[in-house]
Amino acid sequence: MKTKKVLVALIAIGSIFSGSLPASATFNVVEPFSTEGALSSDWVVSGSVQPSIVKQVGDTPENALRITTNSQGQNGYVLYDKPFNLSQGVQFEFTQYQWGGSGADGIVFFIKNATDTTNVPGGTGGAMGYAVNSSDGISGALLGVGFDAWGNFKNTQGSGCDPNNPTNTTIPNQITILGPGQGTVGYCQLVTPYDLAPNAKKLLSNSYADRLTSAAAVKIIIESPYTDLPKVKVYYEDTLIHDIALPTAFSSTASIKFGFTAGTGWATNFHEVSNLRVKTLDATLPFRDVASDDYVAGADDLANTGGSLSDYYLLIGSAMVLIGGGIFSMRKGVKAGK
């Protein structure tokens, strides 16, 4: 049986494929949140408090995006309202601040399905605007990385989660990852929370009186779901603290959006971020060996993305081939047609 090499190639398809496509593979955002006041039209805000850029005279930095104030029972939600796909993977960097209150609850960096247009936060308190707590979690949620000062984020999972994951414990200063969810279902803990205190890392809650002393740098890498064994990697103050498998829900999601939520309960803090930078990764997708001259697009071999992943063609020999009238991404390789 003959074997060919097939390369999933990243190309500029404007000259090859006509028609509009909803998401771009190349993505670059630089947002220092340096202009005081309301966010630009690129952002959607909601919640019991409306996130905005707030000046703190004499602090460093003076301006930052404030997601909640230091009042009780709040949730705030801010979404970058431009969809993009993960064909190359993406890296997020930002600085988070939790200060000026009594130490709760925390900030969540989240990713959601871009086709879901319900833009309201999840629960207050330990749900930190992402998960379930007296209200539904974020609609269309795919991933929530929680910078949990109080220690309740893991306790706000919805139904259908692993009962062996510990809940109803409160351990301050944890970084916890919850997964996909909808309504009151899901938002399950994906990995054991990382405890900052025993690992001698900067604490999220330490009676910080200003932005500067509370500042902590974060980097989150989401690898392309169209490669083998994609990962989510979380760095805190330049230390890799989580390195886990990307939830399988990403492989069937054509485009995503990202944002931040935060929550307070009976204890409070200002919850803020600044210095946001987002960029696609320089990823090279692998060759695949396929048997026979027949290439079949089906549920078990090529994943039909409905034309929304604009960058994927198959390079067969020297020709770019559009498979089956739709655009496909390589997930498990290509099976022989017969």
Side-chain angles (χ1 to χ4, degrees), residues 36-208:
E36 184 182 10
L39 290 165
S40 73
S41 60
D42 291 340
W43 298 87
V44 171
V45 299
S46 67
S48 60
V49 60
Q50 300 285 292
S52 64
I53 301 170
V54 175
K55 179 183 288 291
Q56 194 71 22
V57 176
D59 212 336
T60 305
E62 281 205 329
N63 291 345
L65 172 61
R66 181 167 293 174
I67 309 169
T68 75
T69 72
N70 61 350
S71 296
Q72 294 178 332
Q74 293 189 340
N75 56 10
Y77 173 102
V78 57
L79 177 82
Y80 190 74
D81 199 27
K82 291 187 175 182
F84 64 101
N85 69 63
L86 282 172
S87 55
Q88 289 175 264
V90 65
Q91 175 177 294
F92 302 88
E93 295 180 88
F94 56 91
T95 305
Q96 70 89 48
Y97 313 89
Q98 302 188 47
W99 64 280
S102 51
D105 268 279
I107 297 170
V108 179
F109 167 84
F110 74 88
I111 292 176
K112 66 174 290 180
N113 191 324
T115 62
D116 187 297
T117 58
T118 302
N119 289 316
V120 296
T124 58
M128 294 167 17
Y130 178 80
V132 182
N133 185 13
S134 301
S135 64
D136 292 354
I138 283 181
S139 184
L142 293 171
L143 187 77
V145 181
F147 300 88
D148 188 3
W150 191 259
N152 265 336
F153 189 49
K154 64 181 176 296
N155 300 330
T156 61
Q157 301 174 79
S159 62
C161 297
D162 184 351
N164 294 316
N165 279 338
T167 58
N168 300 319
T169 59
T170 300
I171 301 174
N173 296 297
Q174 292 187 322
I175 298 178
T176 300
I177 305 179
L178 301 186
Q182 184 66 43
T184 60
V185 179
Y187 312 96
C188 301
Q189 181 179 305
L190 300 184
V191 64
T192 300
Y194 184 89
D195 289 321
L196 296 172
N199 286 289
K201 301 301 181 186
K202 183 170 186 175
L203 302 181
L204 297 165
S205 176
N206 197 26
S207 300
Y208 297 117

Side-chain angles (χ1 to χ4, degrees), residues 11-53:
I11 58 172
I13 69 165
S15 61
I16 301 176
F17 181 78
S18 61
S20 61
L21 292 158
S24 170
T26 302
F27 199 74
N28 187 61
V29 177
V30 178
E31 175 54 85
F33 299 116
S34 58
T35 302
E36 184 182 10
L39 290 165
S40 73
S41 60
D42 291 340
W43 298 87
V44 171
V45 299
S46 67
S48 60
V49 60
Q50 300 285 292
S52 64
I53 301 170

